[in-house]
């Protein structure tokens, strides 16, 4: 392997004056295989931009530098900052995401890759539609296939994507994604083959193909690989802890001539294994010959008190580092214990209002949570207090499709004349399309107005094609004054739990949402009261005609908060079973949960509140009861001298 080494010379003033000691060492001395471990708030982006600027100042042509990031916005920001820092023209530098860069190579060498130059790229929705077409085609050909055991197009897409990104067999991907579909392996494989054939016939590729076909291009064409590797004297990779094995192999191949592969990241912040990310890439990298490591550990973000807490919850089995705070002083982080979710929501809303009254902009306040459903009570509380908030984690809880499905069954039981809700319920069942649903709904309305039971109408439309048996059993088994929690439980157990597994790749998360809804339903004695409360809490955000945006509190999952920071941060529901997640506890996979908690705590600059309920986990599992032992509680890992403990009580 040929090594490319920078010529000796003085360090430019703009580099020496713009960096601290650790950052400077990482920028100037990193070469060959170098891992730069960048702790939270330590200036990771600054190091990358200065490395680019430094290379250019030493005579490296920008065309000989490759920058790989996880978003196009990040690459654009880094290049612009490097340009301003070095006062150099960076024209010709190749930078972007893995998919962007692989698309570049496939366009350039389309013939060698077995593609036409004008191939198109399927986005995720287009890809799912094509898989759905292949699935429908197979079902039409093979009438004997049991559709209830065959995943939906969305789930199939998830299985196929995971297989590509972790370079696993299709069977292994099914086992990891959802083992219950192993019985349909032959059909899943056949749909995959048809999907591949259709893409080729239509001259298109999907996002995953971009990476896999680029890898294949280089493997099968050594001369092309050598040519491109000769071009890139320096390769820089951001967020290396979030790469999968396929991405790691690609950058290794492209660095094979000159050998300068600089990867930047923090294995303690690797939280995307569900996407195929492999934090072990960091350790594999370090185990390679001639690899070296640089650590930047000065934290410019948080108060010394928060930094001390963060050092105390450092994830196990991570590369050792000790963050050092630059800031002088601040308040102690708080562990606030409430009785339940409602009390938690009231406290958080009240404390947010106090911070706003003290002059902190709402945009600088964030509430983080492990899963989206943890925010429901807080959403309702903020609505009640007329406090503006923005959801980064997705739609409002009551606006998610699966929650709306459950609310729809509750609404038709409470009001059999609700035609919109009937339409939503009926279309969940096999064989019911818009036309059939409309006909049934019209007959139900007429029957109810005549004093007859809607279940008789539904029974009359049930056939081998229209499968409504589960709905009939549900309706006949419910008392007229059935409690909301009972309605949800019966609907979930009779039909909807299996429906989620078959239709959605994120069924596990949706099941947790239904659990939370059922827990909330347990507080109500009637369907009418619960539905009224939820309806009243719904808020429609209307942009001001002036175009000005009202400052608002941020509500988001920890995953979507990664890379961001706020003055005030609340972390909700740090209870065993909530955070860490119950599935992780049951599977014995707590390491990633530790890293997620670490990411959450490191988002705070000034104030950090860690919320928990005194009773432990905030709600029971549907159909399960688990005892969570010592060692599953993240609060236990926090050193006592790093926090204040508040026992929240209310004067009424």
């Amino acid at each position: 392997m040929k090594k490319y080494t920078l010529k000796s010379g003085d360090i430019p003033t703009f580099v020496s004056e713009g960096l601290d000691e650790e950052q400077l060492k990482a920028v100037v001395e990193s070469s060959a295989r170098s891992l730069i471990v960048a702790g939270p708030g330590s200036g990771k982006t600054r190091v990358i931009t200065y490395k680019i600027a430094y290379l250019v100042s030493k005579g490296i042509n920008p065309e000989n530098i490759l920058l790989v990031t996880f978003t196009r916005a990040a690459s654009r920001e880094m290049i612009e900052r490097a340009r301003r820092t070095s006062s150099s023209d960076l024209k010709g530098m190749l930078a972007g995401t893995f998919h962007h860069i692989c698309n570049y190579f496939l366009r350039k060498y389309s013939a060698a890759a077995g593609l036409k130059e004008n191939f198109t790229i399927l986005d995720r929705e287009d890809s799912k539609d094509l898989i759905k077409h292949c699935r429908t085609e197979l079902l039409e050909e093979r009438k004997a296939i049991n559709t209830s055991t065959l995943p939906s197009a969305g789930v199939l897409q998830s299985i196929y994507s995971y297989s590509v990104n972790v370079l696993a067999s299709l069977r292994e991907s099914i086992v990891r994604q959802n083992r219950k579909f192993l019985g349909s392996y032959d059909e899943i494989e056949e749909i995959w083959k048809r999907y591949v054939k259709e893409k080729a016939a239509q001259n298109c590729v999907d996002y995953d193909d971009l990476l896999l076909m680029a890898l294949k291009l280089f493997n099968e064409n050594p001369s092309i690989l050598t040519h491109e590797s000769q071009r890139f004297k320096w390769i820089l990779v951001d967020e290396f802890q979030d790469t999968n094995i396929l991405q790691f192999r690609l950058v290794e191949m492209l660095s094979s001539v000159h050998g300068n592969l600089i990867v930047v990241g923090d294995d303690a912040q690797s939280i995307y294994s569900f996407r195929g990310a492999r934090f072990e890439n960091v350790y594999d990298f370090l185990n390679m010959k001639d690899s070296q490591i640089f650590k930047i550990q000065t934290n410019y973000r948080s108060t010394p008190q928060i930094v001390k807490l963060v050092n105390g919850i450092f994830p196990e089995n991570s590369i050792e580092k000790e963050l050092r705070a630059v800031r002088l002083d601040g308040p102690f982080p708080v562990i606030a214990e409430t009785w339940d979710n409602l009390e938690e929501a009231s406290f958080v809303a009240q404390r947010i209002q106090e911070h706003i009254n003290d002059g902190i902009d709402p945009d600088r306040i964030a509430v983080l949570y492990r899963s989206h459903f943890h925010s429901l009570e807080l959403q309702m509380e903020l609505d009640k207090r007329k406090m503006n908030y923005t959801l980064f984690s997705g739609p409002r809880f009551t606006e998610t499709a699966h929650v709306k499905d459950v609310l729809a069954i509750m609404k038709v039981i409470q009001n059999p004349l609700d035609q919109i809700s009937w339409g939503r319920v009926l279309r969940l069942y096999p064989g019911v399309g818009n036309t059939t649903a409309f006909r049934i709904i019209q007959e139900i309305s007429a029957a109810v107005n005549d004093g007859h039971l809607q279940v008789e109408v539904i029974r009359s439309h049930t056939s081998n094609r229209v499968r409504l048996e589960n709905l009939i059993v549900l309706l006949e088994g419910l008392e007229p004054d059935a409690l909301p929690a009972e309605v949800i439980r019966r609907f979930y157990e009779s039909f909807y739990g299996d429906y989620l597994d078959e239709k959605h790749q994120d069924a596990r998360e949706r099941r947790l949402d239904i659990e939370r809804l059922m827990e909330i339903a347990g507080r109500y004695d009637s369907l009418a009261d619960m539905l009224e409360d939820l309806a009243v809490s719904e808020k429609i955000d209307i942009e001001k005609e002036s175009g000005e945006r009202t400052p608002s509190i941020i509500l988001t999952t920890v995953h979507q908060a990664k890379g961001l920071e706020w003055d005030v941060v609340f972390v909700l529901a740090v209870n065993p079973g909530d955070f860490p997640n119950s599935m992780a506890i049951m599977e014995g996979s707590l390491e990633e949960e530790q890293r997620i908690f670490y990411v959450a705590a490191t988002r705070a600059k000034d104030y950090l509140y860690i919320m928990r309920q005194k009773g432990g986990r905030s709600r029971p599992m549907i159909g399960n009861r688990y005892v969570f032992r010592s060692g599953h509680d993240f609060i236990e890992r926090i050193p006592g001298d790093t926090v204040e403990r508040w026992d929240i009580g209310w004067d009424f």
Side-chain angles (χ1 to χ4, degrees):
M1 179 187 292
K2 179 182 177 182
K3 297 289 185 182
Y4 187 92
T5 307
L6 286 169
K7 296 178 180 178
S8 60
D10 295 332
I11 300 171
T13 303
F14 77 85
V15 174
S16 59
E17 293 182 351
L19 302 171
D20 66 30
E21 185 177 344
E22 288 178 335
Q23 293 170 341
L24 181 63
K25 184 177 181 178
V27 167
V28 175
E29 298 183 14
S30 60
S31 62
R33 288 189 179 91
S34 295
L35 167 67
I36 301 174
V37 179
S42 63
K44 169 178 68 69
T45 300
R46 190 174 188 85
V47 168
I48 296 173
T49 56
Y50 269 76
K51 182 68 181 182
I52 295 169
Y54 177 68
L55 292 173
V56 174
S57 75
K58 304 302 286 185
I60 299 296
N61 189 321
E63 292 184 0
N64 299 133
I65 302 172
L66 172 62
L67 171 64
V68 188
T69 62
F70 272 78
T71 67
R72 293 293 300 276
S75 64
R76 287 192 294 267
E77 179 190 358
M78 290 179 188
I79 290 175
E80 177 57 25
R81 287 172 62 172
R83 186 191 62 77
R84 292 199 306 267
T85 300
S86 64
S87 300
S88 303
D89 185 4
L90 300 181
K91 187 177 180 180
M93 181 176 164
L94 182 59
T97 65
F98 278 98
H99 294 91
H100 168 75
I101 290 163
C102 288
N103 178 56
Y104 166 83
F105 291 127
L106 293 177
R107 298 285 180 189
K108 187 175 181 179
Y109 302 105
S110 56
L115 294 166
K116 296 177 181 177
E117 191 175 352
N118 65 337
F119 69 85
T120 55
I121 302 171
L122 299 172
D123 62 24
R124 293 296 183 190
E125 284 303 310
D126 290 339
S127 169
K128 187 166 70 174
D129 286 343
L130 186 54
I131 292 171
K132 185 177 181 180
H133 166 75
C134 296
R135 181 183 185 276
T136 302
E137 187 179 66
L138 180 66
L139 290 174
E140 290 176 350
E141 292 176 10
R142 304 181 187 179
K143 303 292 187 182
I145 295 176
N146 185 357
T147 58
S148 65
T149 61
L150 188 64
S152 68
V155 175
L156 288 170
Q157 183 186 52
S158 178
I159 292 170
Y160 299 151
S161 180
Y162 188 88
S163 175
V164 170
N165 282 287
V166 303
L167 297 178
S169 69
L170 185 59
R171 185 177 296 277
E172 187 178 357
S173 180
I174 295 171
V175 170
R176 294 185 189 179
Q177 292 287 294
N178 199 325
R179 184 183 292 269
K180 69 177 283 185
F181 294 123
L182 271 178
S184 299
Y185 175 81
D186 291 342
E187 289 80 11
I188 293 172
E189 183 182 42
E190 177 60 27
I191 294 170
W192 167 252
K193 291 177 179 177
R194 295 182 183 219
Y195 175 57
V196 171
K197 186 178 179 180
E198 280 293 331
K199 285 188 294 181
Q202 298 181 31
N203 189 32
C204 59
V205 300
D206 61 28
Y207 283 142
D208 301 318
D209 290 331
L210 293 174
L211 275 65
L212 189 62
M213 295 180 78
L215 183 69
K216 184 181 178 184
L217 170 70
F218 294 140
N219 276 326
E220 296 180 354
N221 300 274
S223 61
I224 293 176
L225 174 60
T226 300
H227 177 75
E228 293 298 336
S229 187
Q230 283 176 336
R231 169 186 170 183
F232 298 117
K233 297 175 179 178
W234 293 84
I235 299 175
L236 290 82
V237 183
D238 189 22
E239 303 287 5
F240 185 67
Q241 77 281 348
D242 294 329
T243 56
N244 58 42
I245 190 168
L246 175 55
Q247 293 164 336
F248 186 14
R249 289 188 184 180
L250 282 167
V251 293
E252 263 293 297
M253 296 171 81
L254 288 169
S255 65
S256 59
V257 172
H258 297 291
N260 291 314
L261 176 58
I262 316 298
V263 302
V264 185
D266 182 7
D267 62 315
Q269 299 186 68
S270 178
I271 61 174
Y272 295 114
S273 65
F274 64 92
R275 296 180 184 171
R278 186 175 180 272
F279 75 94
E280 292 91 347
N281 283 352
V282 173
Y283 310 132
D284 291 346
F285 184 91
L286 285 177
N287 288 331
M288 290 180 163
K289 186 180 179 181
D290 299 327
S291 64
Q292 53 186 333
I293 185 170
F294 301 86
K295 297 180 182 180
I296 52 175
Q297 304 170 99
T298 302
N299 181 285
Y300 294 92
R301 174 182 299 158
S302 305
T303 64
Q305 290 83 356
I306 292 175
V307 169
K308 186 176 181 180
L309 179 148
V310 166
N311 284 330
I313 62 169
F314 190 74
E316 298 172 2
N317 302 320
S318 299
I319 295 172
E320 186 176 349
K321 59 179 176 288
E322 186 81 12
L323 298 178
R324 299 180 300 272
V326 170
R327 297 177 58 188
L328 297 178
D329 200 11
F332 274 91
V334 172
I335 296 175
E337 295 190 0
T338 63
W339 180 253
D340 58 15
N341 305 322
L342 292 175
E343 195 171 73
E344 180 180 85
S346 282
F347 168 76
V348 171
Q350 180 63 34
R351 194 66 182 138
I352 288 173
Q353 187 61 66
E354 291 169 4
H355 281 300
I356 293 172
N357 293 343
D358 289 339
I360 296 178
D361 192 285
D363 288 334
R364 301 306 306 155
I365 301 173
V367 182
L368 313 184
Y369 31 84
R370 177 63 180 83
S371 300
H372 182 57
F373 65 79
H374 290 134
S375 69
L376 175 57
E377 284 90 352
L378 182 59
Q379 290 182 45
M380 296 174 69
E381 183 67 24
L382 294 174
D383 287 343
K384 188 172 32 178
R385 295 172 181 246
K386 300 187 183 327
M387 299 171 69
N388 291 312
Y389 61 91
T390 299
L391 283 165
F392 278 7
S393 55
R396 288 176 53 83
F397 185 87
T398 53
E399 294 171 353
T400 55
H402 50 294
V403 172
K404 288 177 71 70
D405 289 343
V406 176
L407 293 179
I409 191 69
M410 297 170 69
K411 288 177 179 179
V412 298
I413 292 171
Q414 196 251 334
N415 174 21
L417 293 175
D418 186 336
Q419 296 192 11
I420 293 176
S421 296
W422 269 121
R424 189 173 194 96
V425 169
L426 290 168
R427 285 191 293 268
L428 294 174
Y429 291 85
V432 182
N434 290 332
T435 302
T436 301
F438 179 77
R439 184 166 60 251
I440 296 174
I441 290 166
Q442 295 302 304
E443 292 182 25
I444 286 175
S445 296
V448 171
N449 285 323
D450 289 339
H452 300 296
L453 295 174
Q454 62 265 30
V455 72
E456 297 304 324
V457 174
I458 296 170
R459 181 177 284 109
S460 70
H461 284 274
T462 302
S463 64
N464 290 333
R465 187 181 67 83
V466 180
R467 307 299 300 275
L468 294 167
E469 297 91 344
N470 286 331
L471 179 58
I472 293 170
V473 172
L474 172 67
L475 295 174
E476 289 184 331
L478 287 171
E479 299 294 330
D481 57 349
L483 296 176
E486 179 69 5
V487 173
I488 298 173
R489 185 186 66 79
R490 286 179 176 255
F491 179 60
Y492 178 91
E493 293 179 350
S494 70
F495 166 73
Y496 200 64
D498 290 336
Y499 173 87
L500 291 176
D501 285 339
E502 294 161 13
K503 298 295 182 182
H504 299 290
Q505 59 264 44
D506 59 346
R508 178 182 294 181
E509 288 74 20
R510 294 176 188 247
R511 282 174 174 270
L512 291 173
D513 285 353
I514 305 304
E515 288 182 32
R516 173 51 58 90
L517 188 64
M518 189 170 74
E519 191 270 336
I520 290 172
R523 304 172 190 151
Y524 293 90
D525 295 326
S526 75
L527 289 171
D529 288 346
M530 179 177 176
L531 292 170
E532 181 181 346
D533 270 9
L534 290 175
V536 170
S537 75
E538 291 182 1
K539 179 180 69 174
I540 300 174
D541 293 323
I542 302 174
E543 295 289 335
K544 290 185 176 181
E545 293 183 3
S546 64
E548 297 179 358
R549 189 178 64 85
T550 303
S552 60
I553 307 144
I554 305 302
L555 274 59
T556 182
T557 62
V558 181
H559 285 89
Q560 291 182 291
K562 190 170 178 289
L564 304 175
E565 62 182 32
W566 294 272
D567 296 346
V568 183
V569 170
F570 296 83
V571 186
L572 299 186
V574 185
N575 318 300
D578 286 316
F579 197 177
N581 179 277
S582 59
M583 292 297 179
I585 295 175
M586 289 183 282
E587 295 169 0
S589 55
L590 287 174
E591 286 189 17
E592 180 151 328
E593 293 295 302
Q594 290 176 0
R595 296 193 295 270
I596 297 171
F597 186 54
Y598 182 79
V599 169
T602 55
R603 301 309 96 196
K605 296 176 66 178
D606 301 319
Y607 299 90
L608 174 63
Y609 300 88
I610 298 169
M611 307 300 303
R612 72 169 309 151
Q613 284 93 38
K614 294 176 183 177
R617 193 180 185 211
S618 64
R619 76 274 182 270
M621 290 278 289
I622 292 179
N624 295 281
R625 297 293 182 269
Y626 296 98
V627 177
F628 299 108
R629 304 179 300 276
S630 178
H632 299 153
D633 191 347
F634 287 158
I635 300 294
E636 293 178 351
R637 302 185 68 237
I638 299 174
D641 63 346
T642 66
V643 294
E644 292 181 0
R645 288 181 175 266
W646 294 3
D647 187 352
I648 308 303
W650 297 91
D651 295 325
F652 296 100

